[in-house]
Amino acid sequence: MTRPSSRRPRPSSRRPRPSAVVRSLLAALALAVPLSLLGGCADGRPVSLVFGGPSSGPRAAPGQPVTVYPKGPRARFTSVGEVGDGTSVGVATVTGRKSGFTGRVWVWAPPQYFEPQYAHSGFPVLEALPGGHGYPVNYWMGTDLGLESGISRWSREGKSLPFIVVMPVLNPDFDHYYDGSDIPGQPRMGTWIAEDVPDFVRANFRTFASRDGWAFMGSSSGGFVGLKSVLQHPDRFKAVIASGPDIVPDSPLWRGHEAERRANDPGRLAQALVRRPDVPGNEVYLAFQLGSRETALAPLVRRFVRTYTKGPVKSTLLVVPDGGHNARTYVKGLESGSIEWISRRLQPPVPDRTVWAGDAPDPAPGQDPTARVSAVRARAVRP
């Protein structure tokens, strides 16, 4: 197959680089967002957000998923927005122990995370990456897009797992794209995204030891990074929702580092993966989304799906009617089926039977234990 050149412009795929004046204004506005969204800040002071929960618990029973309890160091979160279900989005500044990069990470935990029956269960994690520069703010933290409230509602409706949503900055500055990769001589953004951010989540939240509890979603350049990360680390991540994604690494910072650039090419990574046996443990699940008006990008995405959906690489493509290259289109796609498609392939939280709701019957044989009656706030999708 003839692959498009890494320097080929991609209409609508990435935002044009703004002028220096505009960049300064946008950066200033973005930095001001958390202060303007602080929940419960009547006097203007930041409000600390405590996710809490036990740091240890019983060992998993045979056949049950292993919960990883948070061992710290515990981060100091500041509330930056409230979701209608009573939960909040928090933000913390994180220094990656492996990458050395310092950046902000926003996190939202679903209502189920705080319920007694799940106090000793891990929760699936969805690392959500933005398009554009993804700096200094990850736009998925904005409750106006409806990602967090959507997952809260969809999990009650049985369309989604109750994910912990983690939203790191995508790039280290507003000047370049780094392709979510460790480009020689540059900040190690591949290590930040694929290692430091998950380590940060494990230090602060109950998660699963297995890759069955870890997935990505991303749009445009963030879709590229999520796609590439799953294909590059199938032992750590099982699924991705890649919305209007870039398909090839084309940061100008790769110049002079062709071997490293190829090592971060999703097509090459997928080609290596399809050669593996199609057995549990090798399978990855790629849910692509496009707006119907993304006519320039659609042929590239369709070609990728057609070429690499074989063996352990499982793919699906959802086209959002009358949709464009934007986050609101992709949230519609999540509700239309993409979030359910990956949820059915990931690990749901497991309730503690000793804290089972008094008026809720035990699950029927073969029924997922989180598929609860209406007395319980959430119903997870069977894997």
Side-chain angles (χ1 to χ4, degrees), residues 11-379:
S12 300
S13 179
R14 283 181 171 167
R15 300 175 185 173
R17 182 177 176 182
S19 67
V21 173
V22 173
R23 292 202 309 273
S24 298
L25 288 172
L26 288 174
L29 287 170
L31 286 169
V33 166
L35 295 179
S36 66
L37 292 176
L38 286 172
C41 301
D43 58 1
R45 291 180 299 176
V47 172
S48 296
L49 186 61
V50 179
F51 288 100
S55 58
S56 63
R59 301 182 68 174
Q64 292 292 327
V66 176
T67 292
V68 176
Y69 288 88
K71 299 297 185 182
R74 289 295 182 109
R76 298 184 61 181
F77 290 94
T78 299
S79 174
V80 295
E82 295 182 353
V83 181
D85 59 9
T87 60
S88 297
V89 177
V91 64
T93 298
V94 180
T95 297
R97 294 187 175 185
K98 297 173 182 176
S99 68
F101 173 72
T102 298
R104 290 191 294 174
V105 180
W106 292 262
V107 183
W108 173 78
Q112 296 91 328
Y113 188 84
F114 306 98
E115 294 181 351
Q117 66 264 32
Y118 295 113
H120 292 287
S121 176
F123 273 72
V125 177
L126 186 65
E127 190 167 345
L129 305 176
H133 287 82
Y135 178 90
V137 166
N138 180 323
Y139 58 57
W140 291 117
M141 56 76 68
T143 55
D144 59 314
L145 289 175
L147 175 61
E148 297 84 3
S149 60
I151 290 176
S152 178
R153 175 167 53 86
W154 303 329
S155 69
R156 295 193 301 270
E157 297 171 348
K159 296 178 180 178
S160 172
L161 294 183
F163 290 101
I164 296 171
V165 182
V166 55
M167 301 157 276
V169 293
L170 181 62
N171 288 296
D173 55 49
F174 208 73
D175 296 321
H176 301 286
Y177 293 102
Y178 292 74
D179 286 336
S181 303
D182 290 355
I183 301 176
Q186 304 297 332
R188 299 176 61 196
M189 301 312 292
T191 299
W192 162 254
I193 294 292
E195 298 187 50
D196 287 332
V197 172
D199 285 348
F200 165 75
V201 178
R202 280 187 283 265
N204 288 276
F205 297 88
R206 299 186 307 279
T207 59
F208 288 120
S210 166
R211 74 186 191 112
D212 291 353
W214 293 85
F216 278 93
M217 64 161 278
S219 52
S220 192
S221 51
F224 166 86
V225 176
L227 173 65
K228 188 264 296 188
S229 297
V230 169
L231 294 170
Q232 199 167 41
H233 305 290
D235 57 326
R236 303 177 200 168
F237 308 101
K238 191 175 184 180
V240 60
I241 300 174
S243 303
D246 302 335
I247 297 299
V248 294
D250 69 346
S251 170
L253 298 174
W254 288 115
R255 191 170 296 115
H257 306 289
E258 182 59 18
E260 291 87 352
R261 188 192 71 82
R262 291 187 177 192
N264 288 272
D265 186 324
R268 292 177 178 272
L269 293 167
Q271 186 60 53
L273 194 53
V274 299
R275 298 191 185 104
R276 297 185 184 182
D278 186 5
V279 297
N282 284 343
E283 296 173 333
V284 294
Y285 295 88
L286 317 178
F288 292 91
Q289 297 193 138
L290 288 170
S292 62
R293 299 198 303 271
E294 294 188 82
T295 55
L297 187 58
L300 301 178
V301 173
R302 291 183 185 277
R303 183 185 307 159
F304 188 97
V305 171
R306 186 171 60 249
T307 303
Y308 300 115
T309 303
K310 60 183 73 172
V313 178
K314 318 295 183 181
S315 301
T316 185
L317 171 61
L318 185 147
V319 178
V320 181
D322 198 33
H325 189 77
N326 57 74
R328 295 189 188 280
T329 289
Y330 303 140
V331 171
K332 292 179 182 178
L334 297 179
E335 184 171 15
S336 295
S338 295
I339 195 78
E340 183 170 3
W341 192 80
I342 68 163
S343 290
R344 290 185 179 277
R345 290 150 178 88
L346 297 169
Q347 175 63 52
V350 179
D352 184 343
R353 292 179 60 87
T354 64
V355 197
W356 201 266
D359 58 347
D362 281 358
Q367 180 186 7
D368 180 75
T370 56
R372 307 294 303 282
V373 295
S374 59
V376 182
R377 297 165 71 181
R379 190 180 76 190

